[in-house]
Amino acid sequence: MTPLPHRVPAEVFDAVAAGGGGARALGLLARAEYSRRLACAYAVTAGARELGGAAAEAAEEAWETLGAVRGTDPDAARAVLTHPSTGIALMDLLARTDRARAAGTGGAGLPVHRFTALAAAASVRAGLPVRLRWPLTDDGLFLPSLGRPRLWPARPGGTAHVEVTADGTARAGVRGPGTVPARTVVPRDPHRTTARWQGAHRLAVLDTGAALLLDDVDPLRFPGVREPLGLSTDDVRRWSRTAREAARLLRADHPRTYAELAAGTRTLVPLGGGGTTSGSSAEAFGCVALSRPSGAAGLALTLTHEMQHSKFAAVLHLFDLFDADAGELFYAPWRPDPRPVVGLFHGAYAHTGVASFWNRHRTTAPDPADRAVAQTQFARWRSAGREATRTLLASGRLTPLGERFAGRMLDTLDGLCRLPVPPEAARRARELAAAHRAEWTRRNGTPRPLSV
């Protein structure tokens, strides 16, 4: 494998730093993430090779199969390697491999089966004739980016096997102790749940042909989330209806954000419990975990917020924007706890996008009450983002490139802060900011002068 450099044009870097970037920037970041996943897969193979034994054999087979798919159908390999859970699986496997090498414990117990499952999924997508098998674990038989056959029981101790024939037909099955031998054909459309197959649900198809998926199946769909929620047909319909409405809202009122959303397939991971919760992971580019949204505007805001985090995480995979964390913690106007530089930078960038969302929503929301709320939220988060960004620039921890990035953020926030808002909205925003600071100080003590 010969690495090639990724180059980010200055105008694209500045556009991303200003809070946007559009489809061009998202495409560039996605290509960089693909390269990162490829490099990680190779590093897993090289690490397992040093450990030797069954782990080395399985990793070599998976790497060779993946290479064959890349040579036959590069889009199939890309679709699997850029799937959000692939990043989680590969980084976890790489970390475990490194620990095993350092400890000299060999490859026993390494979850190399996840690498084999990635290669199998890529082969299925490409229609590349292959036979692969791996030991069943708690993951069951799962093909990343595709789904799982409905086979019962399929217990640890058995064997998963996938076969792709010369005509491109793929069959997946299980056999061995504790399992009922069975197999099923992998459907051409893996997002149509049937009696024999379960995959992520396609909620909406965007203008570019990219999909919004709802994934409650993948065992590695998001860090810390493994058990399915058991979504009903009605649950999926509600998610789908809200997703389509949110996409229409973004397309009509927030075209730049919609362009970023539609630049590639996005996966939503539903979270249980009450309240409004959302999150993203640096290793799961394109994925948003969230509780069920109450409406289209709420989902549109969540997507805006988390896509900012996703973009920033991808930027940090390419560039050093700040020096190694020296332990300083700073006040963040949206958190109850002190934050390190990386957390403050992440949050400030996300709230640059949030403030821009509310700026548009305060003029486009059809309901006067919603517009009034949007005015307050706009005033609140533009000031919070600006305050945090100025803290970053004064911290002495940013690299020259980080100062340039934060400087573009500040330009955007300064422009937003110059826009007029109704006096009542400005007053309410100041009250909310003061209440947050007072509660933060009660919990954590008086913030350092630098962060005030």
Side-chain angles (χ1 to χ4, degrees):
M1 182 173 66
T2 304
L4 297 175
H6 285 276
R7 304 185 187 280
V8 180
E11 67 272 16
V12 174
F13 181 89
D14 289 340
V16 173
R24 181 186 180 192
L26 265 290
L28 190 153
L29 293 176
R31 290 193 294 274
E33 288 294 300
Y34 173 56
S35 294
R36 177 180 168 84
R37 304 278 178 84
L38 263 179
C40 188
Y42 179 76
V44 166
T45 306
R49 188 181 297 142
E50 292 186 28
L51 295 173
E57 293 177 4
E60 289 283 5
E61 181 182 42
W63 176 251
E64 290 176 4
T65 302
L66 198 57
V69 173
R70 291 182 65 219
T72 303
D73 187 346
D75 289 341
R78 184 182 299 273
V80 174
L81 283 173
T82 58
H83 190 68
S85 70
T86 297
I88 298 170
L90 287 176
M91 288 302 295
D92 176 69
L93 182 54
L94 180 59
R96 291 172 185 253
T97 303
D98 286 345
R99 288 197 295 268
R101 289 164 58 200
T105 55
L110 285 178
V112 183
H113 67 278
R114 291 175 177 164
F115 192 10
T116 307
L118 292 173
S123 299
V124 171
R125 283 183 170 273
L128 180 71
V130 73
R131 288 183 179 179
L132 292 171
R133 52 188 291 173
W134 61 92
L136 281 173
T137 67
D138 291 340
D139 293 346
L141 198 177
F142 189 84
L143 298 176
S145 82
L146 296 174
R148 70 165 84 246
R150 293 181 183 271
L151 303 173
W152 184 89
R155 299 192 180 103
T159 301
H161 58 93
V162 170
E163 178 183 8
V164 183
T165 56
D167 64 357
T169 301
R171 292 177 174 84
V174 296
R175 62 169 66 97
T179 69
V180 175
R183 66 177 186 169
T184 189
V185 173
V186 179
R188 297 292 183 183
D189 181 0
H191 304 308
R192 284 190 60 201
T193 296
T194 68
R196 301 293 300 254
W197 185 262
Q198 186 179 19
H201 304 279
R202 186 185 293 105
L203 299 179
V205 177
L206 308 178
D207 292 348
T208 57
L212 270 178
L213 303 176
L214 184 70
D215 193 345
D216 189 36
V217 183
D218 192 329
L220 295 180
R221 58 193 177 274
F222 196 77
V225 179
R226 283 189 64 86
E227 295 302 318
L229 290 180
L231 297 174
S232 68
T233 301
D234 286 342
D235 289 332
V236 175
R237 285 199 189 102
R238 282 191 289 268
W239 275 93
S240 183
R241 182 170 58 251
T242 305
R244 291 194 300 269
E245 291 172 354
R248 283 195 292 267
L249 186 154
L250 289 173
R251 183 177 54 197
D253 300 337
H254 308 267
R256 185 189 67 195
T257 303
Y258 180 79
E260 294 177 358
L261 180 69
T265 295
R266 302 285 177 259
T267 301
L268 309 184
V269 171
L271 299 175
T276 302
T277 306
S278 68
S280 53
S281 167
E283 301 304 337
F285 184 78
C287 175
V288 175
L290 70 166
S291 52
R292 193 172 75 186
S294 58
L299 178 55
L301 175 61
T302 297
L303 291 174
T304 300
H305 184 154
E306 298 301 341
M307 281 197 302
Q308 291 291 100
H309 280 301
S310 190
K311 281 191 295 182
F312 191 71
V315 168
L316 291 183
H317 286 161
L318 291 171
F319 303 108
D320 293 325
L321 299 186
F322 46 85
D323 295 330
D325 184 13
E328 297 101 332
L329 297 174
F330 302 93
Y331 172 70
W334 45 81
R335 292 278 302 200
D337 54 338
R339 301 298 287 160
V341 167
V342 60
L344 187 66
F345 216 151
H346 249 293
Y349 185 70
H351 281 85
T352 301
V354 167
S356 295
F357 176 91
W358 286 118
N359 182 40
R360 287 286 298 156
H361 199 62
R362 68 191 181 125
T363 61
T364 59
D367 185 359
D370 288 344
R371 291 199 298 272
V373 170
Q375 293 280 11
T376 299
Q377 293 296 312
F378 170 59
R380 170 81 173 97
W381 298 121
R382 67 179 183 176
S383 297
R386 183 173 184 271
E387 176 185 356
T389 303
R390 294 184 67 186
T391 298
L392 288 166
L393 286 166
S395 69
R397 285 292 160 192
L398 304 189
T399 63
L401 204 57
E403 290 182 354
R404 175 170 175 160
F405 196 97
R408 299 300 185 273
M409 287 167 55
L410 188 60
D411 289 343
T412 295
L413 292 160
D414 280 345
L416 294 175
C417 285
R418 287 192 289 268
L419 298 177
V421 296
E424 177 60 21
R427 181 191 65 78
R428 179 60 179 151
R430 288 194 297 270
E431 289 178 349
L432 291 170
H436 182 278
R437 184 181 291 273
E439 177 59 19
W440 190 97
T441 301
R442 186 188 70 79
R443 287 172 176 261
N444 306 291
T446 302
R448 294 175 50 203
L450 175 62
S451 66
V452 174

